[in-house]
Amino acid sequence: MKFIEKIKLPRRFFVTGTDTSVGKTIISAILMVGLKASYWKPIQSGLSEITDTNWIRGVSGLSDAHFLPENYKFSKPISPHASAQSDGIQIALESFNLPAGDQDDQSSRLIVEGAGGVMVPLNERHLMVDLMKRLDLPVILVARSTLGTINHTLLSLEQLRQKNLEVIGVVMNGPKNEINKSAIETYGKTTVLAEVEMLSDVNSKTLQKAYDRYFK
Ligand SMILES: Nc1ncnc2c1ncn2[C@@H]1O[C@H](COP(=O)(O)OP(=O)(O)OP(=O)(O)O)[C@@H](O)[C@H]1O
Ligand SMILES: [Mg+2]
């Protein structure tokens, strides 16, 4: 089957979410496999379960060259500011820098995944949105499709725009919900790029299929 490119995504972008466990990693995995992009999770909170980087490495089948190391890895699966404090570390915003790369070089595609949502504190002064601003990347917002998402999504969009960050659009994750989709587009003045439904199995094949279905 021949696909027509539906969404033109920038070469590098940041994937944030309306909440933790909203689907940032699985959406990043779908986009990574489809775009053959690299992945960077600058802050990983929680090491008892598999890290996001290692989970994507496992399911995507992409080589190690596609994965940048985290800047910070903290033991406890709690907010980065508290997890850092518990490990006796202070997150420094200045420590985050995008890898060098030619703007026009499509082979150096990069997906950066945040931790939690937009207003998650990193230290006493900075929030996750400040990290996005430092990297100055366009942003994809991952949102639940279910009840409650309109409020979370509109609040997150407002915060991103207040920081003058470019919002590429929203990816809704979960069972299709036309009312929520239409409210997010109308009141959020944005585009829902895709409505991704539950994958029953997650591996390189199903991720590629999901990319073709939802993003092409
Ligand atoms: N569309 C989907 N299909 C299959 N599994 C999904 C889907 N969306 C989410 N999940 C599962 O739900 C869980 C939470 O999703 P995910 O890890 O992507 O959230 P997250 O926003 O990245 O969380 P965190 O804030 O911890 O980084 C994971 O086990 C993930 O595989
Ligand atoms: Mg994640």
Side-chain angles (χ1 to χ4, degrees):
M1 203 191 312
K2 212 159 188 265
F3 291 102
I4 300 158
E5 199 79 30
K6 188 169 77 175
I7 304 158
K8 187 93 187 119
L9 290 170
R11 187 175 65 89
R12 294 167 155 187
F13 54 89
F14 197 104
V15 174
T16 189
T18 54
D19 199 353
T20 187
S21 288
V22 83
K24 296 182 296 292
T25 303
I26 194 153
I27 300 302
S28 298
I30 292 170
L31 291 168
M32 248 195 105
V33 167
L35 299 167
K36 306 287 170 280
S38 292
Y39 173 83
W40 179 30
K41 173 100 177 175
I43 305 170
Q44 172 71 48
S45 265
L47 299 174
S48 52
E49 306 237 313
I50 188 164
T51 62
D52 283 359
T53 301
N54 284 337
W55 185 81
I56 300 193
R57 207 195 301 262
V59 294
S60 69
L62 289 167
S63 71
D64 286 356
H66 285 264
F67 297 90
L68 276 72
E70 299 91 340
N71 295 45
Y72 296 97
K73 291 202 271 188
F74 303 123
S75 323
K76 290 190 180 163
I78 52 177
S79 174
H81 79 289
S83 198
Q85 198 173 36
S86 161
D87 285 352
I89 293 165
Q90 176 90 356
I91 295 177
L93 201 62
E94 307 71 46
S95 68
F96 302 101
N97 292 301
L98 282 171
D102 185 344
Q103 266 304 332
D104 302 321
D105 180 6
Q106 287 300 319
S107 69
S108 60
R109 284 179 166 271
L110 179 69
I111 298 173
V112 185
E113 180 186 341
V118 172
M119 296 284 280
V120 160
L122 305 183
N123 54 36
E124 282 118 57
R125 282 192 304 137
H126 300 120
L127 305 171
M128 185 55 73
V129 72
D130 296 311
L131 169 56
M132 298 179 210
K133 191 64 199 167
R134 173 166 174 90
L135 302 176
D136 211 12
L137 293 175
V139 179
I140 287 182
L141 177 65
V142 179
R144 277 191 195 89
S145 62
T146 48
L147 190 64
T149 194
I150 300 174
N151 181 53
H152 289 158
T153 305
L154 298 187
L155 284 170
S156 302
L157 287 171
E158 190 170 285
Q159 191 54 222
L160 291 167
R161 291 189 179 130
Q162 223 173 75
K163 288 276 176 189
N164 286 320
L165 283 155
E166 183 195 335
V167 178
I168 306 165
V170 172
V171 172
M172 294 181 75
N173 187 31
K176 274 193 178 217
N177 186 313
E178 194 44 50
I179 293 174
N180 289 346
K181 175 181 184 253
S182 143
I184 285 169
E185 290 193 319
T186 307
Y187 296 98
K189 297 183 178 53
T190 191
T191 309
V192 170
L193 303 169
E195 295 171 273
V196 176
E197 294 177 277
M198 288 305 280
L199 310 185
S200 50
D201 197 17
V202 184
N203 57 52
S204 58
K205 276 210 179 98
T206 58
L207 290 168
Q208 180 66 54
K209 249 172 94 172
Y211 177 82
D212 293 342
R213 175 168 175 200
Y214 298 117
F215 293 95
K216 261 192 162 177

